[in-house]
Amino acid sequence: MKINKKINLKSLSKDEIITLIEKRELPRYRASQLIHWIYDRYASSIDEITEFSKDLRNFLNEIAFISNLRLVKSLKSSDSTEKFLFLLEDKQTIESVLIPEKDRLTLCISSQVGCAMGCRFCLTGSGGLIRNLRSYEIVDQIIAVNRIIQTEAIDNNHIPTFVRGGKGGFSGKKITNIVFMGMGEPLANFDEVVEALWRIVQLIGISKRKITLSTAGIVPQILLLSEKAPEINLAISLNATTDEVRNTIMPVNKRYPIKSLIDTCRKYPLQPGRRITFEYILIDGINDSLDDAHRLIKLLEGIRCKINLIPLNPHPGSDLKRPLERRVLEFQQILLKNNLRALIRESKGQDILAACGQLRAGHTL
Ligand code: SF4
């Protein structure tokens, strides 16, 4: 790979951008302009920063550059979910999924190339970990998709009506919510993910209340997250009520069994009005019994939480099956009757292989 000795502006934090500008004896407001052009106007090169004089652009071009994810492929679902496959500098690929809903535009982002966790219901897990993403590669998924939204809305009349302003005009709307539920286990790439979280809040300007990080349960990092990162929402991918079952579908459980995970959730400092989300993928004959529902109630006793029940959307080649709808409803009813908040959430974009890792798996460069 060609080594670029220039500074990648997207790899710098806010303070580092200010330092870069001040060291070159440029006025400090140039740092704010630079941040605005990269994170709000999605400039893909220094030459696009037309607010700077040609001389200043030439000067910056000599010492720095702006990296960009390259869009390889995108697929749009009939439910408006849109999936993007991006190419990284080292030719690895990652996925991001845009999920438009009535009042929000959520982007599901990746934190690693591949994943070491090996969850049985997940295609990404079956390929193992290739590498961690750098913080700027995590953040760049948001910039890249915002840029696509902006460009397509202007060029192709492409974005769903709610993203447009009155009378069909583009309102300048952009991604409002972020979920770390794409490829990778975010807490296994802790430092880069924490850095990315700060940049999403401070540089992109998305509220910490609108960011959710989902973990398979790397127990020691959960409390560390509450100390080091902005106060984002926590989701736990639980998916079983006994160690025996969880060990078989989520190998991470052998290291951090259910009791240690739930005990840590009890200690997790929750802001007023916030809840921990427990994701529970329902798999036919594995974790969907009515006994499981009752055990789940006991496990979560006293935790301010909500539960997302997700009927499995099996990936090609998987031996796991989706439960019957009747069973999903029965499971939910038991939780509701015991005053737990339980929603049934369908995986979005089933017609475009939107489950984690499926677009990437189907692509060869
Ligand atoms: S579900 Fe998440 S943690 Fe589990 S293997 Fe897939 S990407 Fe990794």
Side-chain angles (χ1 to χ4, degrees):
M1 194 181 35
K2 206 172 96 194
I3 307 285
N4 193 340
K5 290 210 171 121
K6 292 182 186 180
I7 301 161
N8 177 6
L9 293 174
K10 279 185 183 160
S11 74
L12 303 181
S13 65
K14 188 177 176 181
D15 287 347
E16 287 166 340
I17 291 180
I18 294 170
T19 307
L20 174 88
I21 290 295
E22 287 182 342
K23 264 194 176 167
R24 264 72 184 181
E25 293 177 357
L26 292 166
R28 199 185 159 107
Y29 70 86
R30 293 293 187 201
S32 309
Q33 288 175 324
L34 208 45
I35 290 168
H36 171 67
W37 276 85
I38 294 172
Y39 291 96
D40 295 330
R41 302 196 62 171
Y42 326 125
S44 62
S45 72
I46 290 168
D47 289 329
E48 281 182 27
I49 309 180
T50 49
E51 198 173 4
F52 289 175
S53 69
K54 193 145 196 310
D55 284 351
L56 180 52
R57 277 181 270 151
N58 286 344
F59 170 71
L60 284 173
N61 267 321
E62 277 169 26
I63 58 164
F65 71 104
I66 298 174
S67 68
N68 293 288
L69 296 180
R70 214 181 91 205
L71 181 67
V72 179
K73 194 172 179 178
S74 70
L75 284 176
K76 191 162 187 197
S77 159
S78 52
D79 66 13
S80 287
T81 301
E82 190 158 6
K83 186 155 191 168
F84 303 94
L85 185 72
F86 290 113
L87 187 69
L88 305 172
E89 287 160 312
D90 58 358
K91 308 276 183 254
Q92 296 295 340
T93 51
I94 50 166
E95 299 174 352
S96 317
V97 183
L98 184 67
I99 307 158
E101 287 167 294
K102 218 166 92 204
D103 53 353
R104 66 177 83 173
L105 192 54
T106 302
L107 189 69
C108 174
I109 58 178
S110 296
S111 55
Q112 297 181 306
V113 183
C115 183
M117 294 295 115
C119 303
R120 220 172 114 200
F121 45 80
C122 168
L123 190 58
T124 298
S126 66
L129 175 68
I130 296 171
R131 73 167 173 89
N132 283 331
L133 289 184
R134 305 294 308 277
S135 57
Y136 68 85
E137 292 169 321
I138 298 171
V139 175
D140 215 359
Q141 296 168 65
I142 308 167
I143 301 174
V145 175
N146 268 336
R147 190 177 162 104
I148 292 166
I149 292 169
Q150 190 186 54
T151 311
E152 289 186 342
I154 293 165
D155 291 353
N156 301 336
N157 216 25
H158 162 94
I159 289 293
T161 339
F162 81 92
V163 184
R164 306 180 174 284
K167 300 190 180 144
F170 181 59
S171 69
K173 276 211 179 146
K174 37 192 173 182
I175 293 160
T176 58
N177 293 57
I178 299 295
V179 290
F180 280 75
M181 293 182 190
M183 291 165 53
E185 162 53 56
L187 297 188
N189 183 16
F190 190 83
D191 292 345
E192 297 293 328
V193 165
V194 168
E195 181 60 42
L197 286 167
W198 283 112
R199 289 191 200 172
I200 294 168
V201 172
Q202 293 177 341
L203 297 176
I204 298 194
I206 294 178
S207 156
K208 54 194 179 184
R209 298 185 76 89
K210 297 190 170 178
I211 304 172
T212 302
L213 180 146
S214 170
T215 175
I218 314 248
V219 165
Q221 313 288 48
I222 292 176
L223 291 181
L224 206 57
L225 185 74
S226 68
E227 285 168 29
K228 306 268 183 201
E231 293 137 347
I232 53 157
N233 302 304
L234 177 69
I236 304 286
S237 182
L238 185 61
N239 309 319
T241 59
T242 65
D243 285 329
E244 200 189 348
V245 171
R246 199 164 190 264
N247 285 347
T248 65
I249 56 173
M250 299 185 72
V252 66
N253 194 71
K254 292 177 194 157
R255 239 174 123 195
Y256 305 114
I258 292 178
K259 186 175 178 326
S260 67
L261 178 57
I262 298 295
D263 284 351
T264 302
C265 290
R266 287 185 199 287
K267 290 184 207 140
Y268 190 80
L270 274 178
Q271 298 296 307
R274 306 256 206 124
R275 290 169 185 271
I276 297 178
T277 302
F278 288 92
E279 294 152 9
Y280 197 97
I281 298 178
L282 285 160
I283 308 170
D284 183 45
I286 305 267
N287 63 2
D288 64 340
S289 73
L290 304 187
D291 284 348
D292 279 305
H294 288 291
R295 273 193 296 268
L296 190 56
I297 294 161
K298 260 203 121 49
L299 270 178
L300 303 185
E301 213 169 74
I303 301 180
R304 215 157 68 222
C305 68
K306 59 182 176 189
I307 302 156
N308 285 342
L309 297 172
I310 309 156
L312 178 74
N313 179 26
H315 62 75
S318 168
D319 58 341
L320 302 174
K321 292 199 192 73
R322 182 186 175 94
L324 293 175
E325 197 184 336
R326 181 169 48 83
R327 174 44 60 101
V328 175
L329 291 172
E330 278 170 355
F331 200 101
Q332 182 195 30
Q333 278 310 312
I334 293 173
L335 303 184
L336 292 176
K337 274 188 195 143
N338 284 274
N339 302 319
L340 280 171
R341 283 196 192 183
L343 287 171
I344 297 171
R345 311 274 295 191
E346 279 296 339
S347 313
K348 296 275 186 177
Q350 296 194 24
D351 52 333
I352 54 154
L353 310 175
C356 176
Q358 293 192 18
L359 182 61
R360 181 169 168 266
H363 176 80
T364 40
L365 282 173

Short mmCIF file of all heavy atoms in Angstrom, two decimals, residues 39 42 105 141-151 173-175 204 206:
data_model
loop_
_atom_site.label_atom_id
_atom_site.label_comp_id
_atom_site.label_asym_id
_atom_site.label_seq_id
_atom_site.Cartn_x
_atom_site.Cartn_y
_atom_site.Cartn_z
N TYR A 39 -17.34 18.16 8.15
CA TYR A 39 -18.40 17.41 8.84
C TYR A 39 -19.82 17.87 8.52
O TYR A 39 -20.77 17.12 8.74
CB TYR A 39 -18.14 17.45 10.36
CG TYR A 39 -16.91 16.65 10.72
CD1 TYR A 39 -15.68 17.28 10.86
CD2 TYR A 39 -16.97 15.27 10.85
CE1 TYR A 39 -14.53 16.55 11.15
CE2 TYR A 39 -15.84 14.53 11.14
CZ TYR A 39 -14.63 15.17 11.29
OH TYR A 39 -13.50 14.43 11.56
N TYR A 42 -19.44 18.00 3.99
CA TYR A 42 -18.94 16.73 3.45
C TYR A 42 -17.91 16.92 2.33
O TYR A 42 -17.92 16.19 1.32
CB TYR A 42 -20.10 15.83 2.96
CG TYR A 42 -21.34 15.98 3.79
CD1 TYR A 42 -22.57 16.31 3.20
CD2 TYR A 42 -21.30 15.82 5.17
CE1 TYR A 42 -23.71 16.48 3.98
CE2 TYR A 42 -22.43 15.99 5.95
CZ TYR A 42 -23.62 16.32 5.34
OH TYR A 42 -24.75 16.49 6.11
N LEU A 105 -33.86 9.35 10.81
CA LEU A 105 -33.08 8.71 9.76
C LEU A 105 -31.87 8.09 10.45
O LEU A 105 -30.96 8.78 10.88
CB LEU A 105 -32.65 9.78 8.76
CG LEU A 105 -32.07 9.35 7.44
CD1 LEU A 105 -32.99 8.40 6.69
CD2 LEU A 105 -31.80 10.57 6.55
N GLN A 141 -18.37 6.73 7.79
CA GLN A 141 -19.60 6.10 7.25
C GLN A 141 -20.76 7.10 7.30
O GLN A 141 -21.58 7.17 6.39
CB GLN A 141 -19.94 4.84 8.06
CG GLN A 141 -18.87 3.76 7.94
CD GLN A 141 -19.08 2.65 8.98
OE1 GLN A 141 -20.07 1.93 8.93
NE2 GLN A 141 -18.15 2.49 9.89
N ILE A 142 -20.79 7.90 8.37
CA ILE A 142 -21.87 8.88 8.52
C ILE A 142 -21.69 10.01 7.50
O ILE A 142 -22.65 10.40 6.82
CB ILE A 142 -21.88 9.46 9.96
CG1 ILE A 142 -21.90 8.33 10.99
CG2 ILE A 142 -23.05 10.41 10.16
CD1 ILE A 142 -21.60 8.76 12.41
N ILE A 143 -20.46 10.49 7.37
CA ILE A 143 -20.21 11.58 6.40
C ILE A 143 -20.54 11.09 4.99
O ILE A 143 -21.20 11.79 4.22
CB ILE A 143 -18.73 12.03 6.49
CG1 ILE A 143 -18.41 12.53 7.89
CG2 ILE A 143 -18.44 13.10 5.44
CD1 ILE A 143 -16.93 12.86 8.11
N ALA A 144 -20.08 9.88 4.66
CA ALA A 144 -20.28 9.37 3.30
C ALA A 144 -21.77 9.23 2.98
O ALA A 144 -22.22 9.61 1.90
CB ALA A 144 -19.57 8.03 3.14
N VAL A 145 -22.53 8.70 3.94
CA VAL A 145 -23.96 8.50 3.65
C VAL A 145 -24.68 9.85 3.63
O VAL A 145 -25.54 10.09 2.77
CB VAL A 145 -24.60 7.51 4.65
CG1 VAL A 145 -26.10 7.41 4.43
CG2 VAL A 145 -23.96 6.14 4.50
N ASN A 146 -24.31 10.76 4.50
CA ASN A 146 -24.91 12.10 4.43
C ASN A 146 -24.64 12.75 3.07
O ASN A 146 -25.49 13.40 2.49
CB ASN A 146 -24.35 13.01 5.55
CG ASN A 146 -25.20 12.95 6.81
OD1 ASN A 146 -26.40 12.64 6.76
ND2 ASN A 146 -24.61 13.25 7.94
N ARG A 147 -23.43 12.55 2.60
CA ARG A 147 -23.08 13.13 1.29
C ARG A 147 -23.91 12.48 0.17
O ARG A 147 -24.38 13.14 -0.74
CB ARG A 147 -21.58 12.92 1.04
CG ARG A 147 -21.06 13.68 -0.17
CD ARG A 147 -19.54 13.48 -0.31
NE ARG A 147 -19.14 13.83 -1.67
CZ ARG A 147 -18.51 14.97 -1.97
NH1 ARG A 147 -18.21 15.84 -1.06
NH2 ARG A 147 -18.20 15.22 -3.23
N ILE A 148 -24.10 11.16 0.28
CA ILE A 148 -24.91 10.46 -0.73
C ILE A 148 -26.35 10.99 -0.69
O ILE A 148 -26.95 11.27 -1.73
CB ILE A 148 -24.87 8.93 -0.50
CG1 ILE A 148 -23.46 8.39 -0.78
CG2 ILE A 148 -25.90 8.21 -1.36
CD1 ILE A 148 -23.21 6.99 -0.26
N ILE A 149 -26.89 11.11 0.52
CA ILE A 149 -28.27 11.61 0.67
C ILE A 149 -28.39 12.98 0.00
O ILE A 149 -29.30 13.24 -0.77
CB ILE A 149 -28.65 11.77 2.17
CG1 ILE A 149 -28.74 10.42 2.85
CG2 ILE A 149 -29.96 12.52 2.31
CD1 ILE A 149 -28.85 10.52 4.36
N GLN A 150 -27.43 13.83 0.31
CA GLN A 150 -27.47 15.20 -0.22
C GLN A 150 -27.39 15.18 -1.75
O GLN A 150 -28.20 15.78 -2.43
CB GLN A 150 -26.30 15.99 0.36
CG GLN A 150 -26.39 17.46 0.05
CD GLN A 150 -25.12 18.17 0.52
OE1 GLN A 150 -24.02 17.78 0.15
NE2 GLN A 150 -25.29 19.17 1.35
N THR A 151 -26.43 14.43 -2.26
CA THR A 151 -26.22 14.40 -3.70
C THR A 151 -27.42 13.79 -4.42
O THR A 151 -27.92 14.32 -5.39
CB THR A 151 -24.96 13.55 -4.03
OG1 THR A 151 -23.92 14.00 -3.19
CG2 THR A 151 -24.56 13.70 -5.47
N LYS A 173 -32.07 17.78 5.48
CA LYS A 173 -32.07 16.79 6.56
C LYS A 173 -30.93 15.81 6.36
O LYS A 173 -30.49 15.55 5.25
CB LYS A 173 -33.40 16.06 6.60
CG LYS A 173 -34.42 16.85 7.37
CD LYS A 173 -35.41 15.94 8.06
CE LYS A 173 -36.38 16.80 8.83
NZ LYS A 173 -37.70 16.27 8.88
N LYS A 174 -30.47 15.27 7.47
CA LYS A 174 -29.39 14.30 7.40
C LYS A 174 -29.59 13.25 8.48
O LYS A 174 -30.61 13.29 9.18
CB LYS A 174 -28.05 15.00 7.55
CG LYS A 174 -28.03 16.16 8.52
CD LYS A 174 -26.74 16.94 8.33
CE LYS A 174 -26.73 18.20 9.15
NZ LYS A 174 -25.56 18.99 8.96
N ILE A 175 -28.63 12.37 8.61
CA ILE A 175 -28.77 11.27 9.58
C ILE A 175 -29.00 11.85 10.97
O ILE A 175 -28.29 12.75 11.41
CB ILE A 175 -27.50 10.40 9.55
CG1 ILE A 175 -27.41 9.69 8.19
CG2 ILE A 175 -27.49 9.40 10.69
CD1 ILE A 175 -26.04 9.21 7.85
N ILE A 204 -19.85 15.97 14.37
CA ILE A 204 -21.02 15.82 13.50
C ILE A 204 -22.24 16.45 14.15
O ILE A 204 -23.15 16.91 13.47
CB ILE A 204 -21.27 14.33 13.16
CG1 ILE A 204 -20.05 13.79 12.40
CG2 ILE A 204 -22.55 14.13 12.35
CD1 ILE A 204 -20.23 12.50 11.71
N ILE A 206 -24.43 14.98 16.41
CA ILE A 206 -25.58 14.11 16.74
C ILE A 206 -25.64 13.97 18.26
O ILE A 206 -24.61 13.71 18.91
CB ILE A 206 -25.44 12.74 16.04
CG1 ILE A 206 -25.54 12.95 14.52
CG2 ILE A 206 -26.52 11.76 16.52
CD1 ILE A 206 -25.37 11.69 13.69
#
